[in-house]
Amino acid sequence: MKKLTALLAGLVIAMPMAAAAQDAAGTAKKDSYRFLVVPKVVHPWFDKVNDGAQMAAEALKAQTGANIEIVYSAPQTADVVQQVQIVESAISTRPDGIAIDLLDPSGNRGSLEAAQSQDIPLVIFDSIPPEGMAIPYIGSDFCEQAKIAARRLVEVLDGEGEVAIMMGVPTAPNHAIRAECHREVFAEHEGITVVAEGIDNDSIETAQQQAAAIMQAHPNLKGWVASDAAGPIGIGQAIIEAGKQGQVTLVGLDNLPEMLDMIRSGVADSSSASQPELQGYWSVMLLWAQATGAPVPQYLDTGNAFLTKDNVDG
């Protein structure tokens, strides 16, 4: 968090200029704004997104004087029906903006269109908009993030061995993109064989169960990659329980504390990490910009980091 605070400090300095631009454009000021943040599910990764959103609210209040309320509302399970209900309920209260991580573009489309029809600003984070919808979105290059992990696994295995992919929520755009890009990398290496794919629905417990079953069914399995943040934590737990540390290589995803601990202890080799705090921070900033009539980019890339034992504490 100290690193994020330092990184954002320079960005906050620019906020007076943004406020000045708002005045120059003749847009109306408000004393308060209420923004809704809707993740895929209750999950530690999204807690980091909320941390970033709260930091943005504090920065905006300090620079503009307006009260910024962040309403964080997460579905209890990765269920698009629950997610849609949260958004539709929020629309009736007329928030100043909604940031959402899509579970299913087709299932989410109706509620997004309903928000747009009432001129409620939208931002999509950690995902991409439904086809044909012009909604600003924030995230990293999901495909490149996956390829970083898959290439690392191929390198550690010297291009030979059976591997498996944990897919996350198959309907979630970012998870589906990562899974496909894992496959693309593995297909480039004749010595690598994908023998199984698990579905954990962004649940650590489900990932552990899936990984344990897959490793039992494929005793020669040499490596794992994942398409969501919960997946590698569950996989790591299964590796420990099976006593396969040093036998099965895990290249993880993202930077949850459990993931970092697994890198430190050697359960995982490394992780290809997005930056959830930045996604939360800039989701709120783009919502505020839209609410005040300022132009916003169609896409904002918060980047990926590659974490190993050498730099996990750096």
Side-chain angles (χ1 to χ4, degrees):
M1 185 60 71
K2 289 182 179 178
K3 288 183 180 179
L4 179 64
T5 302
L7 176 62
L8 295 178
L11 301 175
V12 173
I13 293 172
M15 293 308 302
M17 291 186 291
Q22 174 188 345
D23 293 340
T27 55
K29 290 183 178 180
K30 292 179 59 175
D31 293 331
S32 64
Y33 297 86
R34 179 168 51 87
F35 300 126
L36 180 71
V37 178
V38 186
K40 285 188 178 78
V41 67
V42 174
H43 193 293
W45 191 89
F46 293 113
D47 291 341
K48 289 176 173 282
V49 172
N50 188 33
D51 288 342
Q54 298 295 339
M55 290 181 69
E58 292 173 6
L60 286 171
K61 182 175 182 179
Q63 296 298 325
T64 69
N67 182 57
I68 311 294
E69 179 185 2
I70 305 299
V71 180
Y72 179 77
S73 186
Q76 290 299 310
T77 61
D79 181 351
V80 69
V81 174
Q82 289 185 37
Q83 195 179 48
V84 166
Q85 288 173 343
I86 289 170
V87 174
E88 290 181 343
S89 177
I91 289 173
S92 66
T93 69
R94 298 292 304 173
D96 294 291
I98 300 172
I100 182 170
D101 183 356
L102 304 184
L103 272 166
D104 181 340
S106 297
N108 290 115
R109 180 184 287 271
S111 59
L112 297 177
E113 290 175 339
Q116 286 185 326
S117 71
Q118 297 192 40
D119 296 323
I120 296 173
L122 295 173
V123 166
I124 291 172
F125 65 93
D126 195 41
S127 189
I128 57 176
E131 186 174 357
M133 295 194 75
I135 302 173
Y137 63 107
I138 299 171
S140 62
D141 185 329
F142 307 125
C143 186
E144 184 58 26
Q145 184 184 13
K147 287 186 174 182
I148 289 169
R151 289 167 183 155
R152 173 68 170 192
L153 183 58
V154 171
E155 177 187 353
V156 173
L157 297 181
D158 292 326
E160 298 284 343
E162 296 181 358
V163 301
I165 301 169
M166 193 64 74
M167 294 171 58
V169 181
T171 58
N174 56 336
H175 295 184
I177 289 169
R178 290 180 185 129
E180 181 56 33
C181 291
H182 285 315
R183 297 184 196 107
E184 289 178 9
V185 170
F186 294 144
E188 296 170 357
H189 300 273
E190 293 183 0
I192 298 292
T193 304
V194 179
V195 296
E197 296 186 354
I199 297 174
D200 62 42
N201 285 316
D202 228 346
S203 163
I204 293 173
E205 181 180 0
T206 303
Q208 185 275 331
Q209 295 168 351
Q210 292 268 303
I214 287 171
M215 287 191 291
Q216 185 173 12
H218 300 277
N220 295 321
L221 187 76
K222 297 299 181 184
W224 277 99
V225 291
S227 303
D228 64 316
I233 297 172
I235 293 166
Q237 292 173 350
I239 289 173
I240 294 170
E241 291 173 3
K244 292 198 171 186
Q245 292 173 255
Q247 301 174 43
V248 177
T249 298
L250 167 62
V251 178
L253 200 83
D254 284 321
N255 62 348
L256 293 182
E258 297 92 335
M259 185 73 255
L260 302 184
D261 286 343
M262 287 181 179
I263 295 173
R264 294 185 187 102
S265 66
V267 174
D269 169 80
S270 52
S271 183
S272 180
S274 59
Q275 303 188 72
E277 296 95 339
L278 284 179
Q279 293 193 36
Y281 184 95
W282 285 105
S283 290
V284 172
M285 288 298 183
L286 293 192
L287 288 176
W288 175 80
Q290 291 180 78
T292 57
V296 297
Q298 181 64 23
Y299 172 58
L300 196 157
D301 186 351
T302 52
N304 295 308
F306 182 61
L307 304 175
T308 68
K309 189 177 289 187
D310 293 333
N311 68 0
V312 71
D313 294 314

